[in-house]
Amino acid sequence: MDILPQIAALRARLKSETAVVFVPTMGNLHAGHLALMRQARAHGNCVVASIFVNRLQFAPHEDFNTYPRTFEADCDKLRSVGVDALFAPDEKELYPEPQAFTVEPPALGNLLEGEFRPGFFRGVATVVLKLFNIVQPQTAVFGKKDYQQLMIVRHMVRQLALPITIIAGDTARAEDGLALSSRNGYLSPAERDEATRLYRTLGELGREIRSGCTDFAALEADAMKKLVNNQWKPDYVAVRKQADLQLPSANDHSLVVLAAAWLGKTRLIDNLEVAK
Ligand code: PAF
């Protein structure tokens, strides 16, 4: 695997490649990322990963400084799944001057995650567009764990006519159901046991919907209460339409339940698609 911290070196390496598949990450890689890398392989013959902890998508009070950085172990993992090239710039390389031009997402970026993390999707969209311009992939893979992020990236690609096909990767889960996330490493052993409640709660809510309940507000409130009763601080539990993350009506069939909640000092997100 070629490790390329410089834009110029990456461009030179990819110059004659015709089918580049790109998987952007912030590092601290787990089995979920590696599944995306393997999935990428099916869509091209040159798999490029990136590792860059993007300051632009963290609010000042968030965990930018403490976000786990495990570069050597990440490189070993990427090699083990046959990634061809890793773009690993430092901040000076990607942001040699303050990033004054930014990508402002549409209203979709202000819902759900955007409501609780103002500016988050501006930071994500800006770095993703910049990485796309640097790597110039034909295809890029994003995990469904960050459901709204995937949707915003797709929307950006469509509206800005980027010649890139976006592929969605399923959420990888631990055996007990917890969605794999770099932030799971913040959990104490007791919190790690409790953390499975988030996915279980989404599952229960999904079953209620499939069995015909259309009082989504009541289901959301009930799920929030279950979390609160077990020492969680939920930001939201929301039943939305898969197509646009807007509020569903009783006869919408392709739904997704999304949740974000704090367990101690750790903020976890998860989601579950529900087809009625
Ligand atoms: O999902 C992530 O890890 C990040 O938001 C991304 C897409 C790499 C942009 O920094």
Side-chain angles (χ1 to χ4, degrees):
M1 180 175 76
D2 299 315
I3 300 176
L4 304 149
Q6 253 85 47
I7 295 172
L10 180 83
R11 287 206 167 126
R13 165 66 182 80
L14 300 182
K15 208 168 169 190
S16 53
E17 296 289 351
T18 51
V20 172
V21 195
F22 178 45
V23 190
T25 82
M26 298 205 300
N28 194 239
L29 304 179
H30 50 66
H33 293 110
L34 301 186
L36 299 182
M37 305 293 161
R38 288 197 193 89
Q39 193 174 349
R41 172 62 60 207
H43 295 276
N45 47 31
C46 180
V47 176
V48 179
S50 67
I51 295 180
F52 181 70
V53 184
N54 174 38
R55 188 187 288 277
L56 287 190
Q57 69 192 70
F58 290 80
H61 64 277
E62 291 182 344
D63 56 345
F64 174 77
N65 287 323
T66 53
Y67 197 84
R69 287 158 173 88
T70 51
F71 189 70
E72 295 305 325
D74 290 346
C75 289
D76 290 343
K77 288 178 185 165
L78 293 175
R79 278 191 206 96
S80 78
V81 291
V83 166
D84 298 288
L86 168 64
F87 179 49
D90 64 12
E91 275 205 280
K92 275 219 174 80
E93 182 68 11
L94 211 62
Y95 299 134
E97 55 191 23
Q99 185 69 30
F101 276 94
T102 56
V103 179
E104 191 61 41
L108 171 63
N110 301 327
L111 311 171
L112 303 169
E113 281 303 282
E115 188 184 334
F116 290 90
R117 302 185 68 188
F120 171 67
F121 287 118
R122 181 188 313 118
V124 169
T126 303
V127 81
V128 169
L129 181 62
K130 193 158 183 173
L131 290 168
F132 281 174
N133 284 333
I134 293 166
V135 177
Q136 302 194 8
Q138 279 68 47
T139 308
V141 185
F142 288 80
K144 278 191 187 180
K145 158 107 189 321
D146 295 290
Y147 203 88
Q148 196 176 359
Q149 167 175 284
L150 167 65
M151 191 164 273
I152 283 173
V153 169
R154 282 190 196 270
H155 203 152
M156 176 176 80
V157 162
R158 199 170 63 238
Q159 290 221 332
L160 299 182
L162 305 181
I164 304 174
T165 303
I166 302 298
I167 307 284
D170 285 334
T171 301
R173 298 184 180 279
E175 263 178 33
D176 61 7
L178 178 65
L180 299 188
S181 160
S182 300
R183 291 189 169 99
N184 292 350
Y186 299 153
L187 299 168
S188 70
E191 287 170 344
R192 172 63 188 79
D193 285 345
E194 174 60 26
T196 59
R197 189 179 307 279
L198 189 60
Y199 184 56
R200 274 187 281 132
T201 304
L202 295 182
E204 285 158 17
L205 209 163
R207 278 192 289 281
E208 296 277 2
I209 294 174
R210 275 193 298 271
S211 67
C213 179
T214 53
D215 189 349
F216 304 126
L219 292 176
E220 291 169 356
D222 189 45
M224 298 267 277
K225 201 165 140 206
K226 277 185 199 149
L227 292 171
V228 169
N229 287 345
N230 289 281
Q231 320 307 322
W232 292 71
K233 290 199 179 71
D235 281 346
Y236 59 84
V237 176
V239 181
R240 295 298 168 101
K241 289 192 278 187
Q242 277 180 32
D244 54 11
L245 297 185
Q246 299 299 317
L247 293 173
S249 58
N251 48 18
D252 283 311
H253 292 292
S254 295
L255 305 180
V256 56
V257 193
L258 308 105
W262 290 87
L263 188 54
K265 291 188 161 55
T266 309
R267 186 173 185 275
L268 299 177
I269 63 170
D270 202 351
N271 64 77
L272 181 69
E273 289 180 322
V274 183
K276 282 206 288 172

